[in-house]
Amino acid sequence: MLELRPNCECCDKDLPPEATDALICTFECTFCADCVENVLDGVCPNCGGNFSTRPIRPAAKLEKYPASTKRVLKAEGCGPRKAA
């Protein structure tokens, strides 16, 4: 079951289950579209993977399978991505 995390790991913006600007990598790292585009250059700082739009779980399924309430935030921040 996909973990729907409640916030951007970079800027801590709220990303409720219905958010259309939530992006995830294959490890379910969750970031807002603004941070992915303007800070991370489309690359996950945790795993180096790319991002996809996070699916929206139907409301009826949210009742049985609720979104996570655990906030994940990068302690060291998400400064501009360094060139490889």
Side-chain angles (χ1 to χ4, degrees):
M1 179 71 54
L2 179 68
E3 181 181 5
L4 300 177
R5 296 180 183 168
N7 65 304
C8 173
E9 291 183 33
C10 190
C11 71
D12 203 29
K13 175 182 178 178
D14 289 338
L15 295 171
E18 69 277 3
T20 58
D21 64 336
L23 299 170
I24 59 172
C25 73
T26 61
F27 288 94
E28 299 177 32
C29 303
T30 304
F31 296 90
C32 70
D34 185 54
C35 285
V36 167
E37 183 178 327
N38 298 310
V39 178
L40 303 173
D41 197 27
V43 178
C44 179
N46 300 323
C47 70
N50 65 333
F51 291 97
S52 294
T53 303
R54 183 178 72 186
I56 302 217
R57 189 169 296 157
K61 296 294 182 185
L62 273 172
E63 291 178 25
K64 186 172 182 179
Y65 306 104
S68 174
T69 58
K70 182 180 177 189
R71 297 181 82 84
V72 177
L73 190 61
K74 292 186 67 56
E76 68 278 8
C78 291
R81 188 171 173 265
K82 295 182 173 82

